[in-house]
């Protein structure tokens, strides 16, 4: 009989994969990997503020990631510096601030290794509610704005002409990415959370002929990676978070051997 902590870990991994799969497709299509990395750097600041204010760390991480996504969007519009430079500055600034806050909390022992590389085996009932609640909200938001999200991905200017609220839809996508990073932090840690978003989507590219199929395949690959990584960690006594990412990476490597499936018209115009 499986222990309760392992069942909760399985549930947490599956829930995170359900949220990360479809969002990861848009991250891959829109080349937002560096943006996701910048948001992931805010995880430590969120954890530090959560512990300092005595609130659930995952909620604080969620709030910090959302705020960082909003700040990045607003600063990007000013065009004062290049987007890459802006992402680099903010990412490392918030990371450094998180370290400084942790250093000042001398009376509180902080397990930085758990936050850096994940601690999926410590997932509790509250974490499960937050993870699956986030997955449900992400799924509902994507279903609501799926066509608009695809439109701005294919051609932003044409989408604006067609009446799509481009900036609001883009901001929604960034908020969804922030939410996925907040819950994924518990599963694989801040250093690997972007891999949980990107790798399944990248692996699904050669397995799907339409955006919808790619989103479904990315979700399935994420679930298989979470389950396979957890069992690998159990059998070989290795860290669970990195094991999940390695399983996903192995699937990605295998996907490169597959023939490219036929592309839809939308994919030929820009979604690949």
């Amino acid at each position: 009989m499986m222990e309760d902590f392992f069942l909760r870990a399985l549930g947490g991994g599956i829930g995170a994969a359900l949220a990360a799969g479809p969002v990861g497709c848009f991250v891959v299509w829109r080349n937002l990997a560096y943006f996701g990395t910048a948001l992931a750097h805010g995880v430590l600041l969120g954890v530090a503020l959560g512990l300092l204010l005595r609130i659930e760390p995952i909620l604080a991480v969620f709030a910090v990631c959302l705020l960082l996504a909003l700040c990045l969007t607003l600063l990007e519009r000013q065009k004062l510096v290049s987007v890459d430079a802006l992402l680099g500055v903010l990412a490392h600034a918030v990371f450094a601030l998180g370290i400084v806050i942790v250093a000042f909390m001398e009376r509180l022992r902080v397990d930085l290794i758990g936050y850096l590389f994940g601690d999926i085996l410590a997932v509790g009932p509250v974490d499960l509610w937050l993870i699956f609640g986030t997955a449900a909200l992400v799924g509902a938001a994507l279903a609501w704005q799926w066509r608009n999200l695809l439109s701005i991905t294919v051609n932003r200017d044409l989408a604006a002409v067609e009446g799509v609220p481009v900036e609001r839809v883009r901001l929604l996508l960034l908020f969804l990415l922030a939410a996925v990073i907040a819950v994924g932090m518990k599963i694989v840690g801040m250093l690997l959370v972007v891999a949980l978003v990107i790798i399944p989507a990248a692996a699904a590219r050669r397995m799907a002929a339409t955006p919808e199929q790619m989103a479904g395949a990315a979700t399935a690959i994420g679930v298989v990676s979470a389950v396979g990584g957890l069992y690998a960690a159990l059998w070989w006594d290795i860290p669970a978070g990195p094991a999940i990412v390695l399983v996903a990476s192995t699937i990605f490597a295998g996907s490169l051997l597959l023939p490219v499936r036929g592309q839809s018209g939308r994919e030929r115009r820009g979604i690949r």
Side-chain angles (χ1 to χ4, degrees):
M1 183 177 178
M2 290 186 183
E3 298 289 344
D4 288 343
F5 76 90
F6 191 78
L7 291 175
R8 289 194 297 268
L10 281 174
I14 292 172
L18 293 176
V23 173
C25 292
F26 286 101
V27 172
V28 170
W29 290 331
R30 294 181 57 81
N31 299 316
L32 292 174
Y34 197 22
F35 198 103
T37 301
L39 292 181
H41 276 70
V43 166
L44 185 59
L45 176 59
V47 170
L49 291 176
L51 296 175
L52 184 65
L53 301 175
R54 297 183 180 180
I55 61 177
E56 181 65 32
I58 195 172
L59 293 177
V61 169
F62 183 68
V64 168
C65 285
L66 289 181
L67 183 60
L68 184 57
L70 180 59
C71 289
L72 287 170
T73 300
L74 293 177
L75 290 174
E76 184 182 355
R77 294 178 183 175
Q78 304 302 316
K79 301 185 184 301
L80 299 176
V81 295
S82 68
V83 175
D84 286 348
L86 178 62
L87 290 173
V89 170
L90 285 180
H92 293 91
V94 296
F95 184 64
L97 181 58
I99 293 176
V100 169
I101 293 176
V102 169
F104 274 109
M105 295 188 295
E106 298 178 353
R107 297 182 181 180
L108 186 63
R109 181 178 177 274
V110 181
D111 180 17
L112 288 181
I113 297 298
Y115 290 116
L116 291 176
F117 298 103
D119 193 7
I120 189 173
L121 296 179
V123 169
V126 174
D127 295 320
L128 283 179
W129 279 106
L130 289 172
I131 291 171
F132 277 97
T134 299
L137 288 174
V138 168
L142 287 176
W144 172 46
Q145 290 292 326
W146 182 260
R147 296 182 67 86
N148 287 340
L149 284 165
L150 286 180
S151 295
I152 68 170
T153 299
V154 173
N155 191 312
R156 184 170 176 171
D157 294 332
L158 181 60
V161 171
E162 293 176 347
V164 176
V166 173
E167 290 301 326
R168 280 184 290 175
V169 173
R170 182 177 182 275
L171 190 58
L172 172 65
L173 176 60
L174 298 182
F175 279 4
L176 294 180
L177 176 58
V180 169
I181 287 174
V183 298
M185 171 271 301
K186 187 70 174 181
I187 307 303
V188 296
M190 62 169 290
L191 295 182
L192 296 174
V193 66
V194 178
L196 185 66
V197 176
I198 296 173
I199 296 177
R205 266 184 165 179
R206 300 175 73 90
M207 302 179 184
T210 67
E212 291 77 14
Q213 289 179 6
M214 182 171 162
T219 302
I221 292 170
V223 170
V224 170
S225 300
V227 175
L230 274 171
Y231 276 102
L234 180 65
W235 291 333
W236 292 313
D237 192 24
I238 58 178
I244 292 172
V245 174
L246 284 176
V247 171
S249 300
T250 301
I251 296 174
F252 170 74
S255 73
L256 298 178
L257 303 176
L258 297 175
V260 179
R261 297 191 60 183
Q263 293 180 318
S264 68
R266 180 179 280 121
E267 289 176 304
R268 287 192 295 268
R269 291 193 300 270
I271 297 180
R272 296 183 296 271

